[in-house]
Amino acid sequence: MSNDGTIHARRIRKSFGPKTVLHDIDLDIASGEICCIIGPSGSGKSTVLRCINGLETVDSGVLKVNGDDFGYYETDNAYHALPPKKLAEQRTKVGMVFQQFNLFPNMTARENVMAGPVLVKRADKKQATKRADELLASVGLGNFGDYYPAQLSGGQQQRVAIARSLAMDPEIILFDEPTSALDPEKVGEVLAVMQDLAKKGMTMVVVTHEMGFAREVADSLIFMDDGYVVERGDAREVLANPQEPRTQAFLKQVL
Amino acid sequence: MNGIDSALKPRLRRRSTFEYVAWVVCILLGLGILVSVSTNPNFKWGVVAKYFTHESILRGLMLTLFLTVASMLLGTLLGLVMAIMRASSIKPIAATAGVYITLFRGTPVLVQLIFWFNIAALYPNLTIGIPFTDISTAIDVNALMAPITAALIGLTLNEAAYMAEIIRGGFSAVGKGQLEAADSLGMSGAMKMRKVIIPQAMPSIIPATGNQVIGMFKETSLVSVLGVAELLQSAQLIYARTYETIPLLIVASLWYLVMTLVLSYPQSQLEKKYSHTSARVPRKARKVVLTAPEGIAR
């Protein structure tokens, strides 16, 4: 059975210097699952996400993405880091959308979307162009291929960033507070694109403060605080009926 | 008051007394210097005019330009290599570049030039061969290290250290998010360097490099100590014969000044082009019509 689109973590730990930011985190995300991670800032939710595509490395624990040990291979008594080429290959199957979009300012929207397929996968340029235009159209930016990021609004940039991730045909796509840097009125257009994506069966892990999105779109929800998973479960269930006092207090503040 | 509508009256800048004093002092001083310079016969302006386009002066100028261009090109290339090495996560490679930069920035270029010229004192023979075989050729370093070679090597190695720092500064101006975005697409290190880091570092590297060119143009005068007949040395060779020291130094200085002014124009244009806040939008983008209705995207 293929494990594509799954994420499995057992007791992952991560410290920055003396501060432990992840304490024995477990995750089990199925293919096609939409999982939202919520929690106050500094709770470690972004760090979890960044570990899943190797922007941070975990100190210990098991981390399998798409069924493979991520960034490492296991021997009898240790995990050994993979060569950069292998890690890059694993990363192509995990898309990432950043809070600050991080589009390449020296490339047009179309070139940004084509960057992965053409530069990394060595795809045919003509086909990649066609695909890029289709993807831009699918995020509602069909006419904006020739625009540079600086000429686009935040919401438009974030939609290009989503198209750029999709161009790699990832099994999993990670969203790190995708709407936090946007004007309130631009949030909706990005969430709408994400909602579309959710319907297509992509595995999505979304770190967010958008409780509405979590309630309407997410299958599962994880609430983190201070490096611990405090509560997890069915998204609507947890939001409607939180069991832990800490979750109750947090939700009372944000809802 | 009188007929003009108050709302239309010009608003004048306030001039302080100090400003008027400054003007007067400046003009008097300027005139004084001008009169003194033009009436003092020891300047020998006739001699200056005579040698300004003298053949050996022009040949020296050409050599100066050649040294500038060659050492800047080679120095920039080597500087790029050093900057990339400096940014390496592999310690010995980063440290090698660090030591190089420290050594070549930390010692006077004049000393370096004389050092390379006399390198044969340390290594009289250079043997090039294939290891573990008898095939080899010995090269006499003294013959190899002609003045012009020593000049080129000295200027290039020194310039590379400065360019490495300029390029490294440009690299560090590229945001961390850009590198993460490249990583998350699975780009290799070299690809990331070529497609993401270097294009974005250019706006800060190019104007600084223009400055280096102007500096290098004058720095080449140092190689006159090796007997390379560049602009200054060409002037020196003439006044050694004619004893018209000052007029010939003026000839050389005028050429340095003229060429610096000539080089300053493209330099200031580059600076203007890249210092703009919209520098993050490549120039060709400005052709794109910016008035596309926001709404069509929704």
Side-chain angles (χ1 to χ4, degrees):
Chain A
M1 204 191 90
S2 165
N3 284 314
D4 281 348
T6 65
I7 301 167
H8 169 77
R10 191 159 57 84
R11 299 187 59 186
I12 56 175
R13 242 181 233 205
K14 170 80 186 166
S15 321
F16 290 121
K19 186 170 164 42
T20 304
V21 288
L22 299 179
H23 298 269
D24 291 347
I25 304 291
D26 294 345
L27 288 175
D28 256 305
I29 296 172
S31 181
E33 184 173 332
I34 316 297
C35 174
C36 278
I37 307 179
I38 62 168
S41 42
S43 61
K45 53 194 195 311
S46 285
T47 308
V48 169
L49 207 64
R50 291 165 60 82
C51 287
I52 299 174
N53 84 341
L55 291 175
E56 308 285 357
T57 52
V58 299
D59 297 339
S60 67
V62 178
L63 176 60
K64 285 181 191 284
V65 179
N66 293 314
D68 301 321
D69 282 313
F70 195 82
Y72 289 79
Y73 64 94
E74 189 180 5
T75 61
D76 281 346
N77 42 26
Y79 277 105
H80 302 268
L82 288 173
K85 216 172 158 184
K86 281 267 162 54
L87 174 63
E89 209 177 288
Q90 288 185 336
R91 277 172 159 166
T92 61
K93 297 209 258 166
V94 185
M96 178 94 175
V97 174
F98 299 89
Q99 182 176 356
Q100 300 295 339
F101 333 132
N102 294 345
L103 291 178
F104 303 126
N106 51 318
M107 302 180 194
T108 61
R110 185 183 295 109
E111 286 166 351
N112 265 284
V113 179
M114 288 166 65
V118 172
L119 300 175
V120 179
K121 288 188 170 174
R122 301 279 166 204
D124 175 63
K125 217 163 182 178
K126 222 162 155 190
Q127 279 175 348
T129 310
K130 194 165 157 261
R131 178 83 206 289
D133 284 336
E134 285 165 12
L135 284 167
L136 284 172
S138 78
V139 297
L141 293 170
N143 296 320
F144 288 75
D146 292 321
Y147 281 63
Y148 282 86
Q151 298 167 312
L152 299 173
S153 74
Q156 290 169 335
Q157 288 189 55
Q158 193 60 296
R159 286 183 283 155
V160 174
I162 293 172
R164 177 173 70 174
S165 293
L166 292 175
M168 294 299 278
D169 295 315
E171 308 289 343
I172 300 167
I173 184 160
L174 311 172
F175 294 85
D176 189 5
E177 303 199 23
T179 56
S180 299
L182 298 178
D183 284 349
E185 53 166 353
K186 307 283 186 192
V187 169
E189 64 189 57
V190 171
L191 291 180
V193 167
M194 289 168 62
Q195 203 156 359
D196 266 2
L197 213 54
K199 286 182 199 140
K200 290 177 185 154
M202 177 84 70
T203 306
M204 289 165 63
V205 185
V206 186
V207 168
T208 188
H209 293 297
E210 294 294 329
M211 297 305 146
F213 178 83
R215 187 183 299 111
E216 279 170 45
V217 182
D219 300 312
S220 57
L221 187 117
I222 294 174
F223 173 68
M224 287 185 70
D225 187 29
D226 204 22
Y228 292 93
V229 170
V230 176
E231 188 164 358
R232 68 172 92 211
D234 177 81
R236 271 156 294 270
E237 187 72 31
V238 175
L239 287 172
N241 208 352
Q243 300 299 307
E244 299 290 329
R246 183 69 188 93
T247 319
Q248 289 164 0
F250 177 78
L251 289 176
K252 208 169 153 190
Q253 290 301 314
V254 297
L255 287 178
Chain B
M1 301 263 218
N2 55 26
I4 313 174
D5 180 352
S6 298
L8 300 176
K9 285 177 186 167
R11 296 209 166 217
L12 302 175
R13 196 166 70 85
R14 180 180 171 274
R15 285 173 205 274
S16 66
T17 333
F18 179 73
E19 196 174 337
Y20 293 108
V21 174
W23 272 110
V24 170
V25 170
C26 211
I27 289 168
L28 286 179
L29 213 61
L31 277 176
I33 291 172
L34 202 67
V35 167
S36 154
V37 166
S38 56
T39 55
N40 184 338
N42 295 334
F43 276 101
K44 296 196 185 143
W45 290 105
V47 178
V48 171
K50 183 177 135 202
Y51 281 108
F52 191 65
T53 52
H54 190 276
E55 199 200 333
S56 59
I57 292 288
L58 292 183
R59 236 184 293 130
L61 178 66
M62 284 302 135
L63 189 56
T64 288
L65 286 171
F66 165 77
L67 282 172
T68 307
V69 171
S71 55
M72 274 312 296
L73 281 178
L74 296 173
T76 305
L77 279 179
L78 184 60
L80 179 63
V81 172
M82 285 296 157
I84 291 172
M85 284 171 67
R86 193 86 179 86
S88 171
S89 58
I90 302 167
K91 285 265 159 60
I93 290 185
T96 305
V99 169
Y100 176 91
I101 292 167
T102 308
L103 278 182
F104 283 86
R105 284 205 319 166
T107 53
V109 64
L110 182 56
V111 174
Q112 290 174 32
L113 286 165
I114 299 169
F115 177 85
W116 291 113
F117 189 50
N118 293 296
I119 190 77
L122 289 176
Y123 300 99
N125 284 298
L126 190 68
T127 312
I128 299 172
I130 302 161
F132 312 117
T133 65
D134 288 339
I135 309 162
S136 66
T137 11
I139 297 168
D140 180 6
V141 172
N142 222 345
L144 180 76
M145 210 39 86
I148 186 115
T149 325
L152 206 53
I153 291 176
L155 291 175
T156 297
L157 294 184
N158 183 257
E159 185 58 28
Y162 283 92
M163 282 310 296
E165 285 297 278
I166 288 172
I167 294 169
R168 192 169 72 105
F171 286 176
S172 60
V174 179
K176 190 164 156 266
Q178 289 292 315
L179 308 183
E180 291 184 345
D183 281 340
S184 75
L185 289 175
M187 284 194 194
S188 67
M191 177 82 65
K192 196 162 59 170
M193 185 55 79
R194 253 178 346 114
K195 297 290 179 179
V196 178
I197 301 178
I198 291 179
Q200 292 187 56
M202 276 316 196
S204 64
I205 292 173
I206 286 178
T209 306
N211 249 334
Q212 290 295 109
V213 173
I214 290 171
M216 175 59 85
F217 179 70
K218 285 162 294 180
E219 209 172 284
T220 53
S221 62
L222 290 174
V223 309
S224 62
V225 299
L226 308 183
V228 175
E230 43 65 72
L231 184 52
L232 179 60
Q233 175 72 1
S234 302
Q236 285 174 335
L237 286 174
I238 296 171
Y239 73 62
R241 230 174 342 103
T242 65
Y243 299 106
E244 289 157 332
T245 310
I246 295 292
L248 275 144
L249 286 180
I250 291 173
V251 168
S253 301
L254 282 176
W255 273 117
Y256 283 118
L257 193 62
V258 167
M259 292 309 295
T260 301
L261 289 175
V262 169
L263 289 171
S264 295
Y265 180 72
Q267 156 68 11
S268 69
Q269 291 305 104
L270 280 176
E271 232 159 59
K272 225 181 266 169
K273 180 174 155 189
Y274 285 107
S275 70
H276 227 253
T277 42
S278 71
R280 286 170 76 84
V281 183
R283 208 159 58 104
K284 57 185 173 183
R286 305 201 186 121
K287 280 185 247 155
V288 176
V289 188
L290 283 168
T291 51
E294 278 271 304
I296 57 173
R298 305 279 158 75

